[in-house]
């Protein structure tokens, strides 16, 4: 009989409370991965994942939480804590590889530790003026978080990320940025499932294809997370780096 795991937004709490309901085994793990990544992309901040309605049939499937955490960690503020009520049996929750709390107040408290993260966000339409707005947002964030060294490079990366949505995705987008561990993290979430393809340097005679190359030049790390209904393109810029 097929298993089913649904990811439901249970609360509008600022930190977010997501409830998982169903049966978790290895075949269901991939659908759970996609559902959780989508929740984190849409919430944009940290969330508590309530597993009280989840039955774990295969403890090895708990590794899906580690995979989601590793991917979302690249975003400006994609972290979560598992809320496992005391009444639930110990199903080797250590396999999840993420923080586990046994009551809700503790779970929400752990989201602020060891680092509370403040994000800036803007929802943009796929129009030419979107690039100017994202540069204003980046400049504001770098000034607020005392990261003037990365402002220029971050404006380049953010401009190219937004312009790719305007030119290719043609959907609304959500831009987020945050400062963590001395670096600037930024992401652009859109609603096109077509993923950008990076082919490295382009010929001097080419009239396009340099957007991802510019991002690769100025960012320490960058990448794309595929979602069921779109994607998140993210980048991290560090003040110790100088553009090539």
């Amino acid at each position: 009989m097929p298993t089913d795991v649904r990811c439901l937004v249970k609360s509008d709490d600022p930190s977010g409370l997501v409830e998982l309901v169903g049966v978790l085994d290895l075949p269901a793990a991939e659908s759970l991965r996609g559902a959780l990544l989508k929740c984190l992309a849409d919430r944009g901040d940290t969330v508590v994942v309530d597993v009280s309605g989840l039955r774990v049939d295969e403890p090895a499937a708990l590794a899906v939480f580690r995979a989601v955490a590793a991917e979302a960690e690249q975003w400006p503020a994609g972290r979560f804590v598992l809320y496992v009520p005391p009444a639930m049996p110990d199903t080797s929750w250590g396999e999840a590889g993420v923080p586990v709390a046994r009551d809700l107040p503790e779970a929400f408290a752990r989201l602020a530790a060891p680092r509370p993260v403040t994000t800036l966000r803007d929802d943009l339409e796929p129009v030419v003026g979107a690039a100017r707005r994202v540069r204003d947002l980046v400049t504001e964030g770098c000034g607020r978080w005392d990261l003037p060294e990365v402002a220029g490079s971050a404006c380049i990366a953010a401009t190219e990320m937004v312009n790719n949505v305007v030119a290719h995705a043609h959907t609304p987008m959500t831009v987020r940025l945050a400062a963590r561990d001395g670096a600037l993290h930024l992401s652009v979430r859109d609603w096109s499932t077509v993923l950008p393809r990076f082919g490295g340097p382009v010929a001097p005679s080419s009239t396009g294809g340099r957007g991802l190359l510019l991002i690769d030049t100025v960012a320490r790390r960058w990448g794309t997370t595929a979602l069921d209904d779109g994607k998140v393109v993210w980048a991290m810029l560090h003040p110790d780096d100088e553009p090539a």
Side-chain angles (χ1 to χ4, degrees):
M1 205 173 163
T3 58
D4 180 40
V5 176
R6 300 189 307 277
C7 186
L8 306 175
V9 177
K10 184 179 178 181
S11 170
D12 289 329
D13 186 280
S15 295
L17 181 61
V18 174
E19 180 184 18
L20 302 187
V21 179
V23 179
L24 177 61
D25 57 13
L26 289 173
E30 184 58 28
S31 64
L32 174 57
R33 176 184 176 277
L36 267 182
L37 283 171
K38 183 179 183 304
C39 282
L40 287 167
D42 292 340
R43 300 290 304 193
D45 292 301
T46 49
V47 299
V48 170
V49 179
D50 180 357
V51 300
S52 59
L54 192 66
R55 191 182 84 217
V56 180
D57 277 6
E58 296 181 75
L62 292 171
V64 67
F65 293 110
R66 181 187 291 111
V68 171
E71 185 67 33
E73 174 69 15
Q74 306 296 334
W75 305 350
R79 290 192 301 135
F80 63 94
V81 172
L82 296 180
Y83 163 52
V84 184
M88 290 189 72
D90 184 357
T91 319
S92 303
W93 286 101
E95 295 290 330
V98 297
V100 172
R102 286 294 190 171
D103 64 66
L104 278 176
E106 177 194 356
F108 283 109
R110 293 189 68 169
L111 285 176
R115 59 177 199 280
V117 178
T118 301
T119 63
L120 291 178
R121 161 184 171 157
D122 203 354
D123 297 312
L124 305 176
E125 293 297 319
V127 296
V128 174
R132 182 180 67 254
R133 287 184 58 180
V134 79
R135 287 193 293 271
D136 290 342
L137 188 70
V138 167
T139 302
E140 177 187 348
C142 289
R144 177 181 299 189
W145 300 317
D146 194 25
L147 287 170
E149 302 93 339
V150 302
S153 295
C155 281
I156 292 172
T159 296
E160 296 306 323
M161 292 161 73
V162 166
N163 280 343
N164 280 342
V165 178
V166 174
H168 304 293
H170 310 298
T171 75
M173 70 195 93
T174 298
V175 179
R176 291 184 175 91
L177 58 148
R180 288 197 280 111
D181 305 320
L184 184 72
H185 294 251
L186 59 96
S187 69
V188 177
R189 196 266 205 253
D190 68 52
W191 277 261
S192 168
T193 57
V194 178
L195 302 181
R197 292 185 297 174
F198 178 51
V202 298
S205 58
S206 174
T207 58
R210 293 181 174 81
L212 295 180
L213 179 60
L214 285 170
I215 297 172
D216 187 67
T217 299
V218 300
R220 176 173 289 192
R221 295 195 306 271
W222 72 276
T224 304
T225 301
L227 304 174
D228 291 343
D229 62 350
K231 61 183 172 291
V232 175
V233 180
W234 55 267
M236 186 271 273
L237 298 97
H238 198 281
D240 290 344
D241 299 335
E242 292 187 10

